[in-house]
Amino acid sequence: MSENERLLANEAPAFSKAARVKYFNIVIESGKGATVTDADGKTYIDLLASASATNTGHSHPHVVKAVQDQAAKLLQYTPAYFANDNAAKLAPRLTALAPISGPTALGWGNSGSDANDAIIKFARAYTGRPYIVSFTGAYHGSTYGSISVSSVSLNMSRKIGPLLPDVVKVPFPDPWKRLKGESEADFVDRMFAAFKLPFETYLPAEEVAVILIEPIQGDGGIVKTPDAYMHKVYDFAKANGILFAVDEVNQGMGRTGKWWSIEHFGLEPDLMSVGKSLASGLPLSAVIGRQDIMNSLGAPANVYTTAGNPVTAAAAMATIDVIEDEHLLERSTRLGKKAADFFAAEKKKFKFIGDVRMYGLDGGIDIVDPVTGEPDADATTKIIYRVFELGAIIISLKTNVLRFQPPLVITDEQLQSAFDILDQAFSELSAGKLSLPDNADEIGW
C-alpha cells in the first residue's frame, strides 16, 4: 500500500463525504511555487492553485517568513476585542486597493463564505430591505447565507433546507444559454428580459437590498458576464436604490490580470467579498464596501474570534507585497495570452474542444461531443485523469469544463510543460486510447 493510500484509508472512517469534492486519490504533503508533491513523493505541476487560493504560489519565501516571524511573536489574540498591528496596517492598505471611490471600510472574516454572508447583513441593514438577488451557476460559499445565494450544485440545497428566506435567483448569461445564430446583442437583451421578469411579476424592486454577482463566474465554468449585460444590471440597481455587490473571492487578487475582476467592466461596486488568495490561502477574508454601508451595523453583528488575526494578516500583507513587487498582474496577462494561444491552437486540432475562455491566467475550456456539440462529461474525466497521471493537476467544473488556474508565479518553462502534458492527453483521447478510471462516477461536482 502506498503512503497516499495508507493515509486516505486512515482518514476515511473519520471524514465526512460531504467535506470534499472527489478527484484524485492523493495526499498533498508539500508545495513550492507552481508545483505540489504528494505523500508518495510524486511532484505535479499545479494548474488549480488550490482553487485560486494560492495566486502567489505555494510556500512563497516572503509569505513564509512573514508568517514565521509573526508566529514567534503572537499567534492569536482575538480581533473581536483588540486590534493587532498587522491587521491595523492591512485594513487601509486593502481598502485603498478596492475599486470603490470615496471613503471605504472593511470587516474581517475567515472565509469567502462569511464575507458573502456579511454582504447580505450589511445590505439589509443599510437599505432596510429584505430581498437578495443572486444568479444561477453561482458559488458563494457553504455557510447558510452564502449557500442560500449559490446554485452551482443541487448538493448545496439537497436535504439541508429551508435555506435563507427572501433570496431570488435569476439566470446567469452563460454561453450555454446562447441560441444558435443568436447575436451578442440579442442574447444580452433576452437574458436581461429574464433578469427583469421577477421584478415585473412578483418581486418589488423597492424591497430588494442587493444584487450579488460574480463578474466572472468561477465554479460555474470560468465565464465572464457579457459587458452590456453587466452594465444593464448595474444601471437597473442604481435606478432602483439597490446595492450592487460583487464576489471577488475566486477571481480577485490578480487572478485575471487585474486586482479585481469587476475592473474589466469599469464599474464600482457598493460591496465586495475577498478571500482565498488574500492571505495566500490562509483563512482570511474581508467584506469591503462604502464606509456608510459598512457603518450601518454595530458590533457584534460581524465579529469573529479569529478573523483578522496577527498571522493571517501578516500573510496578507506579504501577499500584497509579492503581487506588487513581482508584477503578478502583468505576469497573469502575459502568460494568460500564451495559454489562450495554446488552447486556441488545440481547439483547431481537436473537435472535442468547444468554447475556450481565458481572462489572464484564468481559463475555462469546454469539452464537448464532436458530433452533437453537447457537454461530454466522460471525455472530460478521461482528460483530467490522464493529465494527473502525466504529472499535472487540473480539475473539471460543470461536468465538462477544464478549470485552468495555475499560480501566477508559474514559470514559462513549467507552463510549457503543462501545455505538453495537456496536448498529450488530448491526442490520446482523440486516438481512443483513454479509458475512464474505476471510480469515475465519484469524480467531480
Side-chain angles (χ1 to χ4, degrees):
M1 179 181 289
S2 71
E3 185 65 4
N4 281 326
E5 292 169 333
R6 187 190 70 78
L7 289 168
L8 289 169
N10 184 65
E11 177 195 52
F15 192 71
S16 167
K17 66 180 183 180
R20 179 179 297 141
V21 181
K22 190 172 181 63
Y23 281 101
F24 313 119
N25 292 323
I26 55 172
V27 177
I28 304 297
E29 189 172 81
S30 63
K32 191 69 174 175
T35 64
V36 291
T37 301
D38 70 13
D40 290 334
K42 183 173 180 179
T43 297
Y44 305 84
I45 299 171
D46 184 8
L47 303 179
L48 178 60
S50 185
S52 195
T54 52
N55 289 358
T56 58
H58 303 290
S59 301
H60 192 288
H62 185 60
V63 178
V64 169
K65 186 176 188 307
V67 169
Q68 290 174 332
D69 289 350
Q70 180 55 50
K73 293 167 57 178
L74 179 67
L75 278 172
Q76 159 71 358
Y77 202 96
T78 178
Y81 299 125
F82 308 108
N84 64 76
D85 57 348
N86 286 326
K89 294 171 184 174
L90 176 61
R93 189 176 183 188
L94 186 56
T95 55
L97 289 172
I100 304 171
S101 58
T104 308
L106 61 74
W108 299 122
N110 296 296
S111 72
S113 297
D114 59 50
N116 284 315
D117 279 6
I119 284 178
I120 296 170
K121 290 188 284 188
F122 283 105
R124 285 177 166 171
Y126 181 76
T127 64
R129 301 174 176 187
Y131 288 102
I132 312 298
V133 173
S134 62
F135 290 79
T136 56
Y139 180 81
H140 295 296
S142 286
T143 53
Y144 255 95
S146 61
I147 210 169
S148 295
V149 292
S150 300
S151 60
V152 75
S153 169
L154 284 172
N155 281 346
M156 298 182 74
S157 56
R158 181 178 280 126
K159 299 193 287 188
I160 59 175
L163 299 177
L164 194 70
D166 296 339
V167 172
V168 176
K169 296 183 177 74
V170 293
F172 183 80
D174 62 46
W176 303 282
K177 292 188 175 71
R178 191 162 172 176
L179 303 176
K180 187 175 182 179
E182 187 174 36
S183 70
E184 175 82 3
D186 286 345
F187 174 62
V188 166
D189 287 345
R190 182 167 61 84
M191 296 308 299
F192 188 61
F195 166 85
K196 289 192 299 181
L197 184 61
F199 294 96
E200 295 168 345
T201 53
Y202 68 90
L203 179 63
E206 68 272 15
E207 296 182 23
V208 175
V210 65
I211 297 169
L212 172 61
I213 190 169
E214 296 168 275
I216 298 174
Q217 274 200 348
D219 293 286
I222 316 293
V223 181
K224 182 177 180 287
T225 308
D227 283 51
Y229 179 90
M230 183 71 93
H231 281 263
K232 285 176 180 288
V233 170
Y234 181 86
D235 291 344
F236 180 90
K238 293 304 172 184
N240 289 280
I242 302 169
L243 298 182
F244 179 76
V246 295
D247 181 335
E248 293 282 353
V249 175
N250 188 313
Q251 302 292 313
M253 300 301 293
R255 170 52 59 188
T256 68
K258 295 182 181 292
W259 273 105
W260 316 109
S261 62
I262 191 62
E263 291 182 284
H264 291 280
F265 300 86
L267 298 173
E268 290 191 14
D270 298 300
L271 289 161
M272 61 187 287
S273 54
V274 185
K276 287 188 184 285
S277 278
L278 174 58
S280 288
L282 293 189
L284 178 66
S285 67
V287 55
I288 309 173
R290 289 179 8 222
Q291 191 180 76
D292 54 341
I293 301 173
M294 295 302 299
N295 288 331
S296 63
L297 286 170
N302 197 56
V303 164
Y304 304 92
T305 301
T306 59
N309 73 61
V311 172
T312 59
M317 288 285 282
T319 297
I320 296 172
D321 289 344
V322 171
I323 293 173
E324 292 178 338
D325 295 345
E326 298 187 14
H327 308 289
L328 294 191
L329 304 186
E330 295 84 353
R331 185 172 187 78
S332 177
T333 300
R334 181 177 69 81
L335 295 185
K337 176 64 167 57
K338 292 182 79 169
D341 290 345
F342 166 75
F343 284 111
E346 296 293 284
K347 178 180 170 66
K348 292 179 180 178
K349 289 168 59 177
F350 303 109
K351 293 182 179 180
F352 54 76
I353 297 180
D355 191 38
V356 173
R357 299 170 297 280
M358 196 69 58
Y359 321 104
L361 270 179
D362 181 48
I365 299 92
D366 296 347
I367 304 301
V368 300
D369 184 300
V371 177
T372 66
E374 293 298 310
D376 193 334
D378 285 351
T380 308
T381 299
K382 290 176 183 178
I383 289 169
I384 64 171
Y385 202 81
R386 183 56 177 151
V387 167
F388 165 68
E389 291 176 330
L390 293 170
I393 292 176
I394 193 168
I395 68 166
S396 57
L397 299 170
K398 288 181 73 77
T399 74
N400 77 304
V401 180
L402 300 180
R403 178 178 186 166
F404 185 82
Q405 293 182 312
L408 305 184
V409 297
I410 191 169
T411 67
D412 291 70
E413 292 76 20
Q414 288 169 331
L415 190 61
Q416 184 57 55
S417 294
F419 293 160
D420 294 342
I421 288 172
L422 286 161
D423 180 72
Q424 181 175 339
F426 293 155
S427 298
E428 290 176 355
L429 177 68
S430 181
K433 295 180 179 180
L434 300 187
S435 57
L436 286 168
D438 293 338
N439 65 334
D441 58 335
E442 300 176 334
I443 290 177
W445 285 75

